[in-house]
Amino acid sequence: MTTVGANFVSTHYLANSQVGPVMQAQSQLTNLMTEMSTGEYANLGLQLGDQSGYELSLKEQVGLLQTMTSGNGLISTSLSTTQNALQAIQSSAQTTLQNLTTWMPGANSGASLQNMGQSALQSLISSTNATSGDQYVFGGINSAVAPMTDYSSTPASAAKTAIDEAFQTTFGVLPSDPAAANISASDMQSFLSGPFAALFQGASWSTDWSSASSVDTSAEIGPGQTVTTSTNANQPGFQQLAQAYAMLSEFGGSELSSDAQQAVATAAASLVSRGVDSMINLQAALGSTQSAVTDANNSMSSQLKILQDQIGNLDNVNATATAAQITSLTNQIQMAYELTSRLSQLNLAQYLPVA
Amino acid sequence: MASSVNTINSLLNQFTAANNAVVTGLQTGANVSSAEDTRDSIVTQLAQQLGVSTTVAANGSESIYTDSGVTLFQVTPRSVSFTPTATLVDGANGGAVIVDGVPITGPNSPMPIQSGALAGYAALRDTIAPEYQAQLDQIAGGLINAFAESDQSATPTLPSLPGLFTTPGAASLPSMTATTGLAAALEVNPNIDPSQGGNPTLLRDGGISDPGNPAYTYNTTGAASYAGRIQQLIGQISATQSFDPSAGLGSSSSLSDYANASVSWLQASNQQASDGSSYQNALVTQATSALSNATGVNLDAEMTNMLNLENSYASTAKLLTTVNSMFSALLQAA
């Protein structure tokens, strides 16, 4: 038995010394290969340890922001549709207002009032029933139902029936009755501002004219930023315009005296002009929502970039470093093979002359 | 664990034979190196299953103890027993491994073993898995509570009920201190699942818990773009709620934070175990090389020794030959 000293190495250990390192290097090599091809750590959870939860919360925020951004796309579309419709309503109202200002009582002037009213009312109803996707943009939260009922349908719509009834109750005749010519301008005026106006407000409006909900849709356009994203057909502007157009179309072509017609035209002009103001206010309010959505999108996209950079820092592998590590591991393994083969040659018996 | 216990028992029996061979061999003066080698190799295998320490008595008999001090072998092997449970129900503890009447694993063990495969299995079964299960159950309970529906009447009288997420036959919200087995039972409410005849629009309108009872309906008008309930649910996920602190992740947190913390806990344990394992590996390499150097031989040194012996044998023979020829010469001269 030889003395066991600090420098003593057993042959068994010498021969097997390279096995451990080679195995370790090979297992590292397979991990690195995976990382090289996927660009992510082979075992992310092991790599991050207790930072895994942080990584997940970052990914959760990214998901939330992406969802909000794509939701904002839909909101923008619907807001643009709403703006276009409001623009159409407003310009039709402007045209009507101009025509009304130049209108003079005379022969056949009643028919022109009626035409004005009918076409404007039709355009108001069709613009109010504008859709974005399969949603009626003026429906408030009740977006699955067309907000405005067709007025000139057959059989007569509830709105028309209600107007005829109100006229009959007040004057005892229908507008188309020749006896209606006896109605004075002041009587007409008080009818228009009294029983007739009441048909376009409150319960009568919701029953006869509008199916919209007065509750507007709202959405979270950015983290913690909830805004109203629509308007609805129960806004005063819609009521005023519908009222003006309805009185023109109902009482314009009727048997009314020219004084009474003049009263109708004056009342309608005032309503239309208030309606236009109201539409402009709605447009402004929605415009500010549109810009809020754009701002939210911008801020979210920069926030997304920061978050994604952060996630990348956590779970992305540096390709250059990995490639360098693979090269060095390959060298190491080759070196170990070389050493094993050399060590197996290192045997005193090899150097003894054959007896 | 059962197979580990079987391995231990069979190794102890082999060890008995080897140990007896050593003791009798020493008494009769026979060569016991081979039996000692066998004995050492068995101890090495035994140490893979559980941590052991050994002492050798004056008569050469070797005793084995667990690293916690329970006797595994002294003259005769001690019985190592374990009754496996086929399927562990939620929250139940598995049986302990018992050596010589003393439990060496589990929460009730006075002398728990610290290392070896058996200790690892026991830690996983008795500590890590139950704790993780408790966390998953807490997450499930938090989920049910976050999506719960409350009475929407002007003067609420009815209790809140499980909404989108529930457990089969649940008639009330789960208590956060009794969530055992909740994660396994968690399901999407059949009232909302179209494949089970449910109505998915209830997610928007509320009333998932009891579609027949209007008290739980949030969207009373049935409006298509009603988003109030959904926004409320989104808020609930990040709202602070209370959890059972015995699951090890605190008592108050939001649902998403709690789930993230659970992942962190698991991966941190993973990292710790992996670090511990590479440290132990390095230790094994060192110990093996030391052992190999202490008990092994260097062939070159042995070869040199042999050459020396050969040479001295040759010179001795030469000397003998010379003496022999001197004697012959002398005898012939006479």
Side-chain angles (χ1 to χ4, degrees):
Chain A
M1 199 73 168
T2 337
T3 332
V4 176
N7 291 326
F8 183 82
V9 175
S10 81
T11 305
H12 177 257
Y13 174 62
L14 200 59
N16 289 306
S17 59
Q18 294 305 314
V19 175
V22 166
M23 299 242 284
Q24 205 180 349
Q26 281 175 344
S27 104
Q28 272 182 24
L29 194 61
T30 53
N31 279 345
L32 285 175
M33 301 283 236
T34 321
E35 288 174 10
M36 196 67 188
S37 53
T38 61
E40 291 195 352
Y41 285 113
N43 186 342
L44 191 58
L46 188 59
Q47 184 72 31
L48 293 179
D50 58 5
Q51 282 208 301
S52 309
Y54 175 54
E55 155 121 359
L56 278 187
S57 83
L58 289 178
K59 286 192 169 165
E60 188 186 302
Q61 283 180 46
V62 166
L64 190 66
L65 291 181
Q66 282 172 340
T67 314
M68 280 180 178
T69 312
S70 67
N72 283 356
L74 294 178
I75 292 171
S76 295
T77 316
S78 122
L79 281 174
S80 305
T81 315
T82 315
Q83 286 284 28
N84 288 341
L86 282 174
Q87 187 60 47
I89 293 171
Q90 195 208 330
S91 68
S92 135
Q94 296 276 21
T95 317
T96 314
L97 192 57
Q98 270 171 12
N99 292 343
L100 276 177
T101 3
T102 51
W103 178 83
M104 295 290 280
N108 267 340
S109 53
S112 82
L113 267 193
Q114 191 176 26
N115 282 340
M116 227 185 271
Q118 277 170 349
S119 71
L121 189 57
Q122 238 158 29
S123 125
L124 174 70
I125 292 176
S126 83
S127 296
T128 309
N129 289 343
T131 56
S132 165
D134 51 359
Q135 302 210 319
Y136 290 97
V137 292
F138 290 107
I141 59 170
N142 192 15
S143 61
V145 182
M148 247 192 182
T149 345
D150 189 11
Y151 178 74
S152 49
S153 60
T154 344
S157 62
K160 184 170 165 45
T161 318
I163 291 173
D164 284 348
E165 272 173 16
F167 196 86
Q168 180 115 36
T169 316
T170 313
F171 299 115
V173 289
L174 280 172
S176 50
D177 196 318
N182 298 330
I183 298 166
S184 72
S186 63
D187 282 350
M188 192 66 200
Q189 233 159 18
S190 57
F191 166 68
L192 289 179
S193 57
F196 184 72
L199 295 177
F200 295 87
Q201 272 149 23
S204 307
W205 173 260
S206 331
T207 324
D208 296 342
W209 287 90
S210 156
S211 315
S213 162
S214 296
V215 183
D216 290 329
T217 59
S218 65
E220 205 173 353
I221 56 168
Q225 193 186 357
T226 307
V227 294
T228 305
T229 54
S230 73
T231 184
N232 62 73
N234 296 342
Q235 294 286 339
F238 290 92
Q239 296 174 345
Q240 286 152 359
L241 289 179
Q243 190 183 346
Y245 297 157
M247 70 170 72
L248 289 178
S249 95
E250 285 306 315
F251 313 132
S254 61
E255 300 294 328
L256 294 179
S257 66
S258 57
D259 277 356
Q261 281 189 351
Q262 180 66 57
V264 169
T266 316
S270 132
L271 279 169
V272 170
S273 124
R274 276 158 58 201
V276 167
D277 286 352
S278 171
M279 289 296 152
I280 292 174
N281 284 343
L282 285 180
Q283 277 183 302
L286 288 176
S288 79
T289 308
Q290 278 178 309
S291 81
V293 169
T294 315
D295 288 351
N297 276 344
N298 287 343
S299 100
M300 283 196 293
S301 90
S302 49
Q303 212 176 337
L304 266 178
K305 188 162 171 7
I306 297 171
L307 287 173
Q308 270 158 346
D309 282 357
Q310 189 63 30
I311 293 175
N313 286 345
L314 284 175
D315 65 6
N316 279 5
V317 174
N318 181 340
T320 324
T322 315
Q325 269 175 309
I326 290 181
T327 317
S328 104
L329 270 178
T330 322
N331 287 343
Q332 204 178 324
I333 293 174
Q334 273 170 354
M335 192 62 81
Y337 288 160
E338 182 74 14
L339 276 176
T340 313
S341 125
R342 293 265 177 101
L343 284 173
S344 71
Q345 301 290 317
L346 210 58
N347 179 353
L348 194 53
Q350 299 262 351
Y351 298 90
L352 294 174
V354 182
Chain B
M1 283 176 85
S3 75
S4 172
V5 168
N6 286 341
T7 314
I8 293 170
N9 276 325
S10 116
L11 284 172
L12 284 177
N13 286 332
Q14 292 171 33
F15 187 84
T16 316
N19 191 56
N20 287 344
V22 173
V23 174
T24 29
L26 282 179
Q27 279 165 356
T28 55
N31 188 341
V32 294
S33 316
S34 166
E36 276 180 335
D37 273 356
T38 318
R39 212 167 60 166
D40 281 352
S41 126
I42 293 172
V43 171
T44 313
Q45 291 178 50
L46 203 54
Q48 289 176 358
Q49 299 300 328
L50 76 173
V52 292
S53 60
T54 59
T55 54
V56 181
N59 66 352
S61 173
E62 193 170 352
S63 306
I64 309 178
Y65 307 93
T66 66
D67 55 8
S68 57
V70 181
T71 314
L72 275 173
F73 181 92
Q74 198 171 30
V75 187
T76 53
R78 302 297 193 265
S79 74
V80 181
S81 64
F82 170 67
T83 317
T85 321
T87 314
L88 273 181
V89 287
D90 297 318
N93 287 326
V97 175
I98 296 168
V99 176
D100 208 7
V102 181
I104 56 164
T105 67
N108 300 325
S109 165
M111 302 163 110
I113 50 169
Q114 306 297 327
S115 59
L118 191 58
Y121 299 147
L124 196 62
R125 190 198 64 176
D126 296 337
T127 317
I128 298 172
E131 190 167 354
Y132 192 47
Q133 190 197 353
Q135 291 176 6
L136 290 179
D137 286 341
Q138 285 290 308
I139 293 173
L143 199 61
I144 295 177
N145 284 326
F147 283 80
E149 294 182 331
S150 59
D151 186 357
Q152 294 300 301
S153 316
T155 44
T157 48
L158 299 168
S160 295
L161 289 178
L164 176 59
F165 295 105
T166 184
T167 49
S172 62
L173 290 177
S175 152
M176 289 308 280
T177 48
T179 54
T180 306
L182 217 53
L186 191 68
E187 65 171 12
V188 169
N189 202 316
N191 291 339
I192 204 173
D193 185 356
S195 64
Q196 296 183 53
N199 175 10
T201 57
L202 292 179
L203 187 58
R204 177 195 69 198
D205 298 341
I208 305 171
S209 50
D210 188 358
N213 188 345
Y216 292 102
T217 300
Y218 290 70
N219 182 15
T220 42
T221 59
S225 288
Y226 176 79
R229 175 61 177 155
I230 289 178
Q231 279 169 3
Q232 203 178 10
L233 290 177
I234 295 171
Q236 278 297 320
I237 295 176
S238 43
T240 305
Q241 51 174 312
S242 53
F243 291 92
D244 185 0
S246 68
L249 293 179
S251 58
S252 170
S253 152
S254 78
L255 182 60
S256 64
D257 284 353
Y258 194 87
N260 288 340
S262 173
V263 172
S264 278
W265 174 85
L266 184 71
Q267 295 297 2
S269 312
N270 179 1
Q271 209 174 29
Q272 266 174 25
S274 167
D275 286 352
S277 158
S278 33
Y279 166 73
Q280 297 280 356
N281 264 333
L283 208 60
V284 166
T285 314
Q286 282 297 317
T288 318
S289 95
L291 179 71
S292 176
N293 287 343
T295 61
V297 294
N298 185 311
L299 284 182
D300 290 352
E302 300 295 307
M303 182 68 89
T304 316
N305 283 344
M306 197 183 79
L307 290 177
N308 285 344
L309 281 171
E310 263 177 27
N311 285 337
S312 94
Y313 181 86
S315 39
T316 312
K318 192 77 179 164
L319 201 62
L320 282 173
T321 323
T322 314
V323 171
N324 186 31
S325 63
M326 282 165 74
F327 271 118
S328 322
L330 191 62
L331 290 173
Q332 272 168 15

